[in-house]
Amino acid sequence: MGERGARAFTTNISNASDPLINRMLEGFGSNKYKPVDYGRLKALASEKKFASLKTQMKMKKIEKISKANKESSILKQHQLVWQKEFLRLQHLRRKYQSEVESHVRHNAESEVCGQIYRDFEYQETSLSSTFEAFKQDTADPVCTLRDDLRYWLMENREDLKMGDPEVIEKHTEIRDTVDSVKAQQAGVLEKLRHEQNCLEQELDSEELRSMCPPSLEKHAAVHTGIPTEAIDLDCLDLTLKSIVLQEFLILDEKYQARINDLMMRHALALELDECGEWDSDDHFTFVAIHDQYPRELPNRRTLLFDRLKRHLPAMSRTELSDHEDWWMDFKYLKERIKGVHNDWARDRRELMTKVKLTFQEATLTHQLDELRTENVQRQRQLCQALYQKVREWREKKVEAMQMEAELEAQHRKNMAQRMKAEEELEKKRRLKEKEKIQEFQAEKQRHQEQEEAELRERLEALKSDLAEQAVYDQERIHYRHDQLQEKLEVKRQEEEKKMEEEEEREQRLEALREQVRVVADSDPARTMQETKAWHAHHTEDEDHEYINIQKPLFDMHSFTSKQITSDPRMRLENKLREAGLHNSEYARSILSTVKPLQAPRKDMLSTLQLKDVAPK
């Protein structure tokens, strides 16, 4: 503030009694209050903001790298699992293929099955020839067409860019041909899908399923009731025979009760169909992936659900977990039923062997009784002893079955306890994570409140500074307005003086014009008279030099077409136009940095003139 403004400002606040206010307003010798450098504050704020953005970008980059590393680690583990599964499947394929080849080799030359295997070989040859013909009719033409199209596009790429009508017409015909080929291929694929569905339905028929049941349905064949072979056995003691044969029915009842008990305990698994109300393809994918991850694999559940989510993205994690529980229950039931059937068949075979031995012993005993009639009592005792053996064997068998049932119940109990322990651990882990999240949110809220309080304090300080600055600025405005009025007055006086000088100059010039002005007499007939130019055109003068009327009036200096095409700005603009970037901000910045072509000089460039045409 100038001396005049400072004196006026001091006069207006002379009534202020607070020395601190006087010192603040005057600003002389104050070491506590200093002017605010808003430019520096803005620079500091921009620097802090830039540092914050930079830190945020680094965090995002670290998070992205962490996610990529985690994804790469999971994919590597999936790759190892799939490699093991691939080796296992390859081993099984070679094993079954070698078994089939061995079976065909051993039975191809037999009299009974030789013709059947020859028919198989003929059918295989026919299918191979049909496949080759189908490939030549469908796949090979498409490959040839693809190669031809690539060659044609390579040869006519430039013409297509330039818009040659013939090439564009040919390109339209080619596109129509490609669309026609696509439609034909779509029809062929639809036909193949129909044939595939028909074959799958035929392979999934009841007859083939009964001949080749699934792995979970395979179990030893058990024929209930008393076997015909046992009934046909000879035994002279009919009472013993009836009692022994009743053991088959008792054994059937025991195992049938075990199967019914299993089905009752796992009734929920049997309520759904064999795919768990899923699509057959989705269920097959689920089972194939589930079997690849054994229970002893570390971090098995995470890898399993990650793989399932990749192959079945439409399924949620809850649906996958529920289906897994159902599948494990269903699989356990089928395996237990399979084990019961195997035990059932084994016990029936053992019982059949025991019955044969018993009947043989009874027959021998009866023969001895016929030979030795005096040993009738001994024969009865022997029969009772045999009957007692059968009863003891049955009691032992019942005891063994009870022990197996107890072991199975103990196993189920252990499984339930282990699952309960796992659930409790999972709940504890989730509670810990929830507590950590709540602590983090509370800490974050506290920091936010502290920052808001600091911002409020800074805002109040800024408002007080701005109010004081407004008073100071108002005084400065009045002072500058007075100075501006003085300058305008001086400028107006100078303009008036300049206008007076201009008027005096015009008067002097007008006096000079009056002295040199020519006054001509009026001659209207002059417009109808011949001019000197007309005389010059119609009068032949041998001494007059010939004038070429086609000669240009002046020399024209410009650029040649070669110079224009060699201009770096022109070449750069053509490249950007081909790339479709000539209207972008990047193209403008690049073109502004390139040095333009210098204007031609008269002594360096050739003069473009029209050729003189001499009269014939």
Side-chain angles (χ1 to χ4, degrees):
M1 182 183 293
E3 184 179 356
R4 178 183 175 186
R7 189 181 299 108
F9 181 77
T10 307
T11 305
N12 291 331
I13 63 172
S14 60
N15 296 327
S17 60
D18 193 350
L20 184 60
I21 294 176
N22 293 332
R23 190 176 182 185
M24 181 65 190
L25 294 176
E26 292 172 356
F28 296 116
S30 176
N31 56 1
K32 186 179 291 186
Y33 300 97
K34 297 180 181 179
V36 180
D37 190 354
Y38 289 100
R40 183 171 172 272
L41 289 176
K42 289 181 180 179
L44 289 174
S46 301
E47 184 179 357
K48 294 292 184 182
K49 186 177 181 181
F50 178 75
S52 176
L53 291 175
K54 190 174 181 181
T55 305
Q56 187 177 4
M57 291 174 64
K58 287 183 179 179
M59 293 297 294
K60 289 183 178 179
K61 185 176 180 181
I62 292 171
E63 184 179 359
K64 185 177 180 181
I65 293 172
S66 177
K67 288 182 179 179
N69 293 334
K70 183 178 179 181
E71 184 73 13
S72 176
S73 176
I74 291 176
L75 289 177
K76 287 180 181 178
Q77 295 182 32
H78 287 321
Q79 185 178 6
L80 292 175
V81 172
W82 171 242
Q83 286 177 357
K84 292 180 181 179
E85 181 68 14
F86 179 74
L87 293 175
R88 187 183 70 85
L89 294 175
Q90 193 174 18
H91 173 70
L92 290 176
R93 178 178 175 275
R94 291 176 180 174
K95 177 184 175 182
Y96 293 147
Q97 188 173 5
S98 63
E99 290 178 358
V100 171
E101 291 177 355
S102 176
H103 178 76
V104 172
R105 186 167 56 252
H106 288 111
N107 296 278
E109 297 180 358
S110 64
E111 296 179 0
V112 180
C113 302
Q115 184 61 35
I116 297 175
Y117 286 104
R118 283 193 290 272
D119 293 340
F120 287 165
E121 185 178 358
Y122 174 75
Q123 182 68 17
E124 184 178 1
T125 306
S126 176
L127 289 175
S128 299
S129 60
T130 305
F131 175 75
E132 289 295 332
F134 176 79
K135 182 181 177 183
Q136 292 178 1
D137 295 339
T138 57
D140 293 345
V142 173
C143 295
T144 305
L145 178 61
R146 182 185 63 182
D147 296 337
D148 294 342
L149 289 177
R150 286 180 175 176
Y151 178 75
W152 188 86
L153 288 173
M154 189 186 302
E155 292 292 330
N156 299 275
R157 187 182 301 276
E158 296 296 331
D159 295 336
L160 279 174
K161 290 182 180 180
M162 298 299 294
D164 191 353
E166 296 181 357
V167 177
I168 293 176
E169 184 178 359
K170 184 67 176 176
H171 184 261
T172 306
E173 295 178 359
I174 291 173
R175 291 185 64 181
D176 295 338
T177 305
V178 171
D179 294 338
S180 175
V181 171
K182 286 183 178 179
Q184 294 176 6
Q185 290 294 318
V188 172
L189 291 175
E190 186 64 28
K191 184 177 178 181
L192 291 176
R193 291 193 191 96
H194 177 69
E195 293 180 358
Q196 180 182 356
N197 294 331
C198 293
L199 288 175
E200 289 178 353
Q201 293 176 2
E202 183 178 352
L203 292 174
D204 201 29
S205 61
E206 294 295 333
E207 293 81 1
L208 291 178
R209 286 178 68 88
S210 61
M211 294 173 60
C212 300
S215 59
L216 291 178
E217 301 291 339
K218 288 182 180 180
H219 53 75
V222 178
H223 301 284
T224 58
I226 300 173
T228 307
E229 184 181 0
I231 297 174
D232 294 339
L233 292 175
D234 295 331
C235 183
L236 298 177
D237 192 349
L238 298 179
T239 304
L240 176 63
K241 183 176 182 179
S242 63
I243 293 173
V244 171
L245 293 180
Q246 285 295 323
E247 293 296 324
F248 286 100
L249 300 179
I250 295 171
L251 187 65
D252 293 342
E253 290 177 1
K254 296 294 182 181
Y255 278 101
Q256 191 63 42
R258 289 183 62 183
I259 292 174
N260 293 334
D261 183 48
L262 284 173
M263 289 186 174
M264 288 178 62
R265 287 203 304 267
H266 300 277
L268 294 176
L270 296 174
E271 289 180 358
L272 306 179
D273 56 1
E274 61 182 6
C275 294
E277 295 185 353
W278 274 25
D279 185 67
S280 58
D281 295 336
D282 294 343
H283 178 69
F284 175 77
T285 303
F286 175 84
V287 174
I289 294 173
H290 190 274
D291 293 341
Q292 293 178 17
Y293 293 85
R295 288 193 173 274
E296 61 273 9
L297 182 69
N299 201 17
R300 170 186 175 272
R301 195 165 184 82
T302 303
L303 294 174
L304 174 62
F305 277 90
D306 181 76
R307 179 83 177 277
L308 289 173
K309 287 296 290 181
R310 292 175 187 272
H311 287 271
L312 301 172
M315 300 297 177
S316 64
R317 187 179 180 89
T318 305
E319 292 176 346
L320 293 174
S321 180
D322 294 342
H323 194 71
E324 182 189 19
D325 295 339
W326 170 84
W327 172 244
M328 295 301 295
D329 195 10
F330 183 78
K331 186 177 179 182
Y332 174 76
L333 173 62
K334 291 298 182 180
E335 289 177 353
R336 289 301 305 148
I337 291 176
K338 182 178 179 180
V340 170
H341 277 87
N342 293 333
D343 295 341
W344 192 356
R346 186 189 70 246
D347 291 345
R348 284 182 66 89
R349 288 194 300 271
E350 292 177 358
L351 182 59
M352 188 66 191
T353 304
K354 195 72 175 177
V355 167
K356 289 180 180 180
L357 293 175
T358 303
F359 285 174
Q360 288 176 4
E361 290 178 1
T363 303
L364 291 174
T365 304
H366 187 71
Q367 290 176 358
L368 291 174
D369 185 55
E370 288 180 351
L371 295 174
R372 301 172 183 178
T373 54
E374 65 276 6
N375 295 329
V376 174
Q377 187 65 28
R378 184 181 175 186
Q379 180 68 29
R380 290 177 181 176
Q381 293 176 358
L382 184 59
C383 291
Q384 292 179 358
L386 292 173
Y387 175 69
Q388 185 66 26
K389 289 181 180 181
V390 173
R391 181 178 295 176
E392 291 176 357
W393 177 85
R394 185 178 63 184
E395 291 177 355
K396 290 180 180 179
K397 207 65 182 176
V398 170
E399 184 179 359
M401 292 172 62
Q402 291 177 354
M403 291 176 66
E404 290 180 358
E406 291 177 358
L407 290 174
E408 183 180 353
Q410 186 66 26
H411 177 67
R412 289 199 305 271
K413 184 177 179 181
N414 294 335
M415 289 291 292
Q417 291 177 355
R418 188 171 66 182
M419 291 177 66
K420 186 176 180 181
E422 290 179 356
E423 290 178 357
E424 290 178 355
L425 289 175
E426 183 67 19
K427 288 180 180 179
K428 290 180 180 179
R429 185 184 64 80
R430 290 185 178 179
L431 287 174
K432 289 181 180 178
E433 290 181 354
K434 188 175 181 181
E435 290 176 358
K436 289 181 180 178
I437 291 171
Q438 291 177 353
E439 291 177 358
F440 173 74
Q441 291 179 351
E443 184 68 20
K444 185 177 179 181
Q445 183 68 21
R446 187 177 63 79
H447 282 297
Q448 289 179 354
E449 292 176 356
Q450 186 177 0
E451 290 177 358
E452 288 178 0
E454 292 177 357
L455 289 174
R456 291 193 193 98
E457 292 177 0
R458 289 180 60 191
L459 181 61
E460 293 297 331
L462 287 174
K463 284 182 178 179
S464 62
D465 294 342
L466 290 173
E468 294 173 0
Q469 186 67 26
V471 175
Y472 175 76
D473 292 342
Q474 192 67 26
E475 294 296 331
R476 293 287 295 173
I477 288 169
H478 289 304
Y479 174 71
R480 291 297 180 187
H481 183 266
D482 295 339
Q483 287 186 343
L484 180 61
Q485 291 298 328
E486 293 177 359
K487 289 181 180 179
L488 290 176
E489 183 65 24
V490 173
K491 187 175 181 181
R492 186 178 61 78
Q493 293 176 2
E494 291 177 355
E495 288 179 355
E496 290 178 356
K497 184 178 180 180
K498 191 181 293 185
M499 289 176 64
E500 291 176 357
E501 292 176 355
E502 186 69 25
E503 289 177 359
E504 292 178 359
R505 180 173 171 274
E506 287 294 332
Q507 290 176 2
R508 290 195 301 271
L509 289 174
E510 186 63 28
L512 292 173
R513 292 192 193 99
E514 288 293 335
Q515 293 178 6
V516 298
R517 182 177 290 120
V518 178
V519 180
D521 297 333
S522 176
D523 187 6
R526 184 171 60 84
T527 59
M528 305 299 296
Q529 294 177 0
E530 298 174 354
T531 62
K532 292 183 179 180
W534 187 88
H535 276 289
H537 290 162
H538 291 80
T539 303
E540 293 184 1
D541 190 357
E542 295 180 356
D543 297 334
H544 185 67
E545 184 180 358
Y546 175 76
I547 300 173
N548 184 12
I549 62 174
Q550 293 186 357
K551 183 177 180 180
L553 298 176
F554 53 88
D555 295 335
M556 183 171 60
H557 306 286
S558 178
F559 301 102
T560 63
S561 59
K562 185 175 181 181
Q563 290 172 335
I564 293 174
T565 55
S566 63
D567 185 12
R569 287 171 59 87
M570 179 65 69
R571 289 188 295 175
L572 181 58
E573 184 179 357
N574 291 335
K575 294 295 183 181
L576 293 172
R577 193 179 296 278
E578 290 177 1
L581 301 173
H582 58 286
N583 290 327
S584 63
E585 206 54 48
Y586 170 76
R588 296 190 186 95
S589 63
I590 291 297
L591 289 173
S592 63
T593 58
V594 179
K595 187 177 180 181
L597 187 64
Q598 297 293 332
R601 294 187 300 178
K602 183 175 181 181
D603 57 342
M604 294 178 65
L605 300 177
S606 61
T607 304
L608 302 177
Q609 298 179 355
L610 298 173
K611 293 183 178 180
D612 296 341
V613 180
K616 295 182 180 180

